[in-house]
C-alpha cells in the first residue's frame, strides 16, 4: 500500500475537482479536500482495499461535503458566480436566471446522471476521472453523461413548448 504522502500527491487534485463540482467554491473545495485527507489519515487502517483508493477518498469527500451542508445551510450568497463578467445588468439578470434554471433541472435529474453532469460541467473532470470516482469505466462515464445530457436537453425543450 502507498504511503499517505503518495496518496495525497496522486489523488489530491482529483478530490479537489470532485469537491469543486459539488460546492462551486474554490475556497470551500480546498478546505473540504484538506478535511478529506485528514479523515482518510485517521481511518487508513480501516481501508480494506475492496475498492479503489480514489473511490474511497471520494466517498469520504462526499461525506465531508454532506456534513458541511448540514452545518452551513446554503444561502443565496453561496450561489453567486462572482467570476463571470457580463456587459450589462440585463445580461447578468438573464444569465442568473438561466444558471438557476440549469441548477434546478440538474437537481431534479436522477442518479447517476445528476452526479456525472455536475462532475463534468462544474468540476471539469475528464471521463476517465469520473469513471474512477464512480467505480466504473471511462466509456460508462461517457455514455451516462451523454444520456444525462439528453434527458436534461429534453427536459429543457419540454419547458419551452
Amino acid at each position: 500500500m502507498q504511503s499517505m504522502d503518495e496518496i495525497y500527491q496522486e489523488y489530491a487534485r482529483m478530490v479537489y475537482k470532485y469537491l469543486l463540482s459539488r460546492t462551486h467554491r474554490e475556497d470551500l473545495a480546498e478546505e473540504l479536500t484538506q478535511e478529506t485527507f485528514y479523515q482518510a489519515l485517521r481511518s487508513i487502517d480501516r481501508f480494506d482495499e475492496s475498492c479503489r483508493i480514489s473511490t474511497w477518498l471520494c466517498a469520504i469527500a462526499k461525506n465531508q461535503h454532506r456534513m458541511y451542508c448540514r452545518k452551513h445551510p446554503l444561502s443565496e450568497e453561496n450561489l453567486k458566480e462572482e467570476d463571470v463578467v457580463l456587459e450589462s445588468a440585463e445580461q447578468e439578470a438573464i444569465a442568473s436566471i438561466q444558471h438557476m434554471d440549469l441548477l434546478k433541472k440538474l437537481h431534479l435529474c436522477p442518479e447517476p446522471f445528476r452526479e456525472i453532469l455536475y462532475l463534468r460541467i462544474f468540476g471539469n473532470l475528464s471521463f476517465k476521472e469520473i469513471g474512477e470516482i464512480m467505480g466504473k469505466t471511462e466509456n460508462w462515464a461517457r455514455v451516462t453523461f451523454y444520456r444525462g445530457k439528453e434527458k436534461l436537453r429534453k427536459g429543457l425543450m419540454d419547458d419551452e413548448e
Side-chain angles (χ1 to χ4, degrees), residues 57-74:
L57 289 169
C58 286
I60 294 171
K62 191 174 190 177
N63 287 334
Q64 291 303 309
H65 180 244
R66 283 183 181 154
M67 288 187 340
Y68 176 86
C69 288
R70 271 186 249 136
K71 290 179 184 177
H72 306 91
L74 288 177

Side-chain angles (χ1 to χ4, degrees), residues 28 30 61 69 91 133 136:
L28 180 55
E30 182 63 37
C69 288
Q91 286 175 320
I133 288 170
K136 304 283 186 176

